[in-house]
């Protein structure tokens, strides 16, 4: 019983994480495009700028 509940909760959490990640990524891409027209990925700008 506990194993099934744990698996169900993990599934819900994974799905919520994916939705949240996608929403954040869309906002970061929009921000990056506004800051650096012509770029497609905010990740590329972060690496190029030397922040990571």
């Amino acid at each position: 019983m506990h194993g099934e509940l744990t698996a169900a909760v993990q599934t819900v959490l994974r799905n919520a994480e994916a939705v949240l990640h996608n929403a954040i990524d869309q906002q970061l891409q929009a921000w990056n495009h506004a800051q650096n027209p012509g770029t497609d990925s905010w990740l590329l700008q972060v690496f190029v700028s030397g922040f990571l």
Side-chain angles (χ1 to χ4, degrees):
M1 176 70 176
H2 292 292
E4 293 173 5
L5 180 59
T6 300
V9 169
Q10 287 176 341
T11 299
V12 170
L13 290 175
R14 276 194 303 266
N15 291 338
E17 179 184 11
V19 169
L20 182 60
H21 179 271
N22 289 338
I24 291 170
D25 189 52
Q26 288 174 354
Q27 291 299 314
L28 286 172
Q29 286 180 359
W31 171 82
N32 187 61
H33 185 68
Q35 300 295 315
N36 304 292
T39 57
D40 292 330
S41 174
W42 65 270
L43 288 173
L44 293 176
Q45 184 61 33
V46 171
F47 285 116
V48 170
S49 297
F51 288 115
L52 293 179

